[in-house]
Every structure is written in C-alpha cells, then in structure tokens.
Amino acid sequence: MKIYKILLSVLISAIFSLEALGCAHLTSPFDVSNDEFNFLDKRLVEGFDDESFLTISNSKHGKYWDREYKDSKELREENIDEWYNFLEQKFTKKDVEEWIYRKKNLDIDKKEAVKYMAMAKKYQKYVRSWGKKPKKAEVKKAIEILDSEYKKSNSKFIKLRYSFLILRLKHYYGFYKEVTTQTYTKNLKDVKSVVFEWIDSLVAGAEKKLKNRVKASYLFAKIFQNSKTKTHIGFYDFSIKNDMEWNELMDMCQNSDEKTLMYAIRGLQGGANGIEELENIYKIDPDSKWFNVILFREIKKLQYQYFAFKNELTKFNLEYIVKYENKKLQTTLKANSLKIANLKKILEIVIKDDKKKNLFLTKLASNYLNIFQNNDTTKIQDFTSLKSNNEIEKNQIKLLLAMLDLLNLKTVDENIEIKIGDNYNSFLKNGFGSKNYLELVRGLLPKMYDKDNSAKTHLLQNNFELSLPTLKKDEYLKIKKLESKQNKNSFEKLIISKYQELGGLKKDKKLYIEGILNLKDENFKQAKELFTKIDDKKMLILQYNPFNATKSGTNRKNAKRKTNLIKFIDTFTTVKGIATKDPSAVMDNYLLANAYYNLSSFGNSPMITRFYRATSGNSYDEFDEELIQKAIKYYKNALENTKKSEFKAKITYMLAKCEYKNLIIKEKIELDYSNPDDMKEMSEFNKYVKTYGYGKYFDKIKKDYKDTKYYKEVIKECGTYNYYQKIK
C-alpha cells in the first residue's frame, strides 16, 4: 500500500511537469513523445492544424527545426508553382525546379525572367554564411544594379522578386533602417505571391536588429499566423522580456483577434504556463480558435504523463524515483495539484457560461481530465453525455470509450479480442485513432496473456516483428500456427497482417529464422536442411571465424577465408562428436570451447544464434551463461591434456576471460577499467576480487606460465590483466 501511494503521488505531481520525468529512467518499446499515446484528434481544433505546435515539446528549438523543415519545403513548392505559371506552363514543374535551383537551361522567351534568374544566382553568394564576404562597396554596387533592373522591369512579378533580392542584401549587410522604410512593394500589393512573406520576415528581423523588440514581436506574431513559408521565423523570433513590453504590445494590437494571437504564441513556447494563457484568451474572446489550440496542448501534456507512467514505470524506475527524486517531487506536489484544480475550474466556468458556440472540446477535456486526476478509470463518466452529429466528434467519443475499456481490462478472452479488432478497424476507417489505440493495446495486453498466448505476447511486445534472443522455438511455432489459422478473429487478423507487413516474412527470412532457432537448440540436422533451402546465400556468410580465439575479449578478427553457417555446422558437429567422446582430444576440446564462447554475446559470432547482440551487463541472459559454462568445461579438458606450455598459457588466458564474463552475467554489471587511477573503480574491482575470488586464472597464468611468449604478449596487450595485477 505504501508503494502504491508513492506511485500515485509521483503520478499526480508529474502531470504538469515534463521535466519531472526526464528521459533517463523510462524504457519501453513506445515513444510517447512521438504521439503514440495521443487520443485527441487534431481535427477538433478548427482553423489550426499545424502539428509542429500541437505536439508536445518543451524545446523551442525542437518546434523551430520541425516547422523550418516544413516551411522550406512549402517555400520551394510555392516558388516553383509561381514560376511555372509565370512561364505560362510551357515547361514541366520538374524542369522549372531544375532551372531555379540547379543549372538547367530552358529555352525561355521571356528575357526578363532569364536576366532576373542570372542576377539571383550571381548575388546568392553574397548572402551565404560561408566563404569570403564581398566588401561593402561591392555590396552597394550590387544593390545599385538590382535597383536599376527593378526600375526597368515592366513585370510586377519580376519587380517583386527584385525587391526581395535588394532587401535581402540590405538586411544581410546591416542597412536595417532602409529595410524597415522600404517602398519597393508599395505599388505591387495586387500581386498574389509568397514573396511578400519573405519580405515581411526581413522587415521584422530588421526591426529586431534596430532594438525595436516589441514592434518586431508584433510583426513576427503576424508572420506566425499568416505565413505559409516563414512560420518558424515568426514563432522563434517572437520575444517579449517584461510586463512593460507586453503592455506596449497589447496597445499595438488592433483588435481582439490580434490580442488572443499574442497570448497564444506566448502560451505555445516551451515551458509556458498554458493554463494562464487559456484564461487570458477566454476573457478576451471565448470563441477564439486559440482557446482550443492551447487547451488541446494542455490535455496532451496530461496524456503524455499519464501514459508514460501507466505503460513504462518499472519496479527499478519506481525504486529510483522513491530513493532519489521523491523529495523533489514532494516539493512540487502541492503546486502541481493546484494547477490541475485551476484548469478544472476554468473549464467549469467556460461550460457554465455557455458563451462558446462549440463546447465539445471543452466538455471532452473536462471529462478526460478526471482520468489524470483520479488515476481510477472506473470512476470516470462514460463520455456518452457528449452528444454530437459530427463524425469527427463521434469518432473521438468512441475512441475515448475504447481507451477506458482497455485501461479497465483485467483479463483477455476472444470476445475482448474481437471488440479490440473491430474498434481498430472503425478508427482506421474514420481517419484517426487506429495507430494510437493499437499502441495502447501493445502496452497493456501482454501483461494479461497466459503462456498459451505467448505468440500474441511476443508480437505485441516487439512491434509485430520477431526478436531473438527473446523468441523461443515454441513461440515461433505458435506464431506460424496463428498465421495459418483459417478462422481468425478480427484482432488475430490485425496482428498477423501487421506481422506480415512489418516483419517482412519472405521465404529466405522464414528459413533463416527457423534455422537459427534450431541451431540454438543444437538441432544441427534440421538447421542445415533449412539453411540449404535459402536462395540468398549471402545471408549465411560469417564475418568472423567462430573457432578462433584472440587476446581481445570478443575474439573479433576478420577471417582470411570466409566461412558460412553450413560449413560451421559441419565443423561444429565433427568437433563436438570427438570432444564429447574423448576429453583427451586437446584440439577438438579447445575448438569446441572457442565456438561456445564465440556464440555468446561476448564472442565474435553471437548472431549465429540471435538477431540482437547484448551489449551491457543488464542484457546478458541465461543462454549466455549456459554457453560460457560449456566453454569452461571444454577449455579445462584441453588444459588438462595438453603438454605444450605455450598452449597451456593460451587456454588459461581463455579461462580467465570466461571467469570475467561469468562474473558479469551473475552480477549484471560490467566495470570500466579504462581509467586505472579511478579510486572508485579500483574499490569496486577489489570488492569483486575479495568477494568472488576473481582472478584465479590470472594468478595461474602468472605463476605457471610467466616464462612463455604468450604470457609476455598478454602482459603487453591485456588492460584488465594489468589492472588486476596493479590492485591485487
């Protein structure tokens, strides 16, 4: 009960503070920051569908780069379209694109257009961020030339573009006052062109450079609202530093639409108090589109937190938070609870006032909020009180009801599966929710399935793909059985279709997987038969020799002559047959031991028995332990029966490597000895030496084989050995 209360307090206190979670302690196959757990349809926000600002991010820079990419793409497309139409559609859009952005020559009869493009490309180098910059006199001369061409032009389309080239040069070289007072576009207002957006951003930027921050922010906000191609500039460069500047900005606004825009752009900034801005916007205009934009994002923050904890908080993470962060979380608990109460209070007032024309999102949010405050989905109203004839809103209600059903599940049977499959298909048909719903299914159902449903558990946990070494042979056989099942229910059809879509189950891959699983169980005959049927023989090639041993921990040394899985099986079965019958067959026992070591995650060929190699102390499994134990057994046979000192030294060193790997597997930790003067690491190493008697074979190689050539090479190359000798 105590742990549950701590978890609940952590959950509630973290709801409004994305920083409380951080990114270091939560691990799962899901990426909640990438909207997998979003159950709100952006189509509910009328008049604003910019995903860069409807998604959750505390990083202003993150929004900037996401939107900048979209803006640059839009800018290019708009520019190409305008030139395509100006050239009377005589060329393809692809040709026009290459004429503008590359060096393709087109037979254009409009000589003014040809001359302009030559000028644009000539002076492009003047505004690059790299290379040698021209002298100011050269810049002024360039401006004079462009100004002359502007005056000579009879085309408003061309004049507008010359205006941009001139103002860009002036802005880049510090003639800011001339940019803010420009008159080039005065008589061009009837031209419909994206170029005005580029010029507007230059003017706003010049105002900022002239330290007219409030005026600049006003202009940037307008760019943010109206621009197709410079939205990121409008958002990023909006900057108000204090209340005095804010009041000045409000006085500059000409109507309530502009005022709510300013509050909205402030509320969209990373770390902003969205709830306060929500209230400010409502007081000015209850029907402002910005109210729903900010409300939508605030509820998404709650979703993020709730599902991050619901699906990702492990026992280890809970212990970590209780031990190291509980004090910090407790200090913010009251403040965060107050924020939740404030949001509920605002929504209740809005619903009671009934001033908004469409209260659907407000009512939805008010109901949805109960989930995150109570952490008890059984007490939540069922959303059916929200009536709507709008298909998007009806789908939204159905999605949230389905989400609540999932959160309340305790067991899974076929009827539940059918309902889940049918829900998914419905959301897919209606255009929102299928992906998000399926991610929640993936997060919750595996915990409820028994061993008989291990195939479904495996597919759900691994994004519908096969994952070795976690995949067991019986699981794979169950997946094959499910795949061939004739009367699948809707859920089974769904997961198998995803499996076939994402898993890429081609003939060769199927054969390879089955072969690997048989190899893992040492069913060599079956494995060889399967590998022989593979058409793409490149899949069978091995980069390293599995029977090789070196002084490095992984035995990785590119084989001079490449081998493959079939040859490996032939050699392995021959060597094993001899070694198991005759412990005195030194070389066969030694080669078999090498093979077992190299098949582990520590060796050079773990991919013979798995798809993913473990890379840290917490990742090694029972299979690794089994392989290392087998390696030790056969190394000991070889050591006891060889007469050669050099070979004894080599085998003893391999036993020392096995001893170290055994320690890593059992203790789930891998110490870093790269800094021999680190006292903390030295202390840890000492603990393992004293507690587990680590170093038995390092002692033996020094005592019995110090006169061998191999020992001298070990001293020179093995850092772990030298570290051990230093602290012993």
Side-chain angles (χ1 to χ4, degrees), residues 190-246:
D190 57 331
V191 180
K192 188 178 180 182
S193 174
V194 73
V195 177
F196 284 111
E197 295 182 7
W198 312 347
I199 292 172
D200 287 345
S201 67
L202 290 173
V203 173
E207 291 287 4
K208 186 174 182 179
K209 289 290 186 180
L210 291 169
K211 301 190 185 309
N212 299 325
R213 186 164 52 240
V214 176
K215 186 175 182 180
S217 292
Y218 175 82
L219 295 174
F220 281 127
K222 299 291 284 183
I223 290 168
F224 170 78
Q225 182 178 35
N226 301 319
S227 177
K228 289 182 181 179
T229 64
K230 295 292 179 179
T231 307
H232 68 291
I233 295 291
F235 175 76
Y236 189 79
D237 283 323
F238 179 91
S239 176
I240 297 295
K241 300 294 185 182
N242 52 55
D243 288 344
M244 186 180 295
E245 288 184 356
W246 183 261

Side-chain angles (χ1 to χ4, degrees), residues 33-49:
S33 63
N34 199 28
D35 263 14
E36 271 92 347
F37 288 123
N38 171 41
F39 291 90
L40 291 179
D41 190 340
K42 69 175 184 178
R43 294 175 296 179
L44 294 171
V45 184
E46 296 178 7
F48 190 87
D49 63 353

